Amino acid sequence: MIARLRVLGGIDGLQDPAAREASRFLLLVAVVLALLLAILEVDSNSAGLQSLGLMGNAFSADPVFKSP
């Protein structure tokens, strides 16, 4: 099926170098958006993650070593 579509429409993008550059840019945009989504999900669910013990304080240290 894919081979037939390639023959009919030339959807490879191999003939057009600009098409390859656009796909790299779209890949970068997709990765950045996925990273932002993951950050927002962790931030919005931080209370639930702390209750499960999966996320702690940024500066968790033994109280013995903390100054008064």
Side-chain angles (χ1 to χ4, degrees):
M1 176 80 179
I2 295 174
R4 290 180 187 164
L5 289 175
R6 285 183 181 167
V7 169
L8 290 177
I11 61 171
D12 282 348
L14 297 176
Q15 294 85 10
D16 188 15
R20 254 184 274 138
E21 293 300 322
S23 65
R24 288 181 185 163
F25 178 71
L26 290 176
L27 180 64
L28 176 68
V29 168
V31 168
V32 168
L33 288 176
L35 181 64
L36 287 175
L37 178 65
I39 290 171
L40 288 173
E41 285 293 323
V42 168
D43 188 43
S44 66
N45 297 317
S46 63
L49 291 173
Q50 283 179 352
S51 70
L52 292 173
L54 296 175
M55 198 170 106
N57 293 335
F59 301 105
S60 61
D62 193 13
V64 173
F65 299 114
K66 292 182 179 179
S67 63

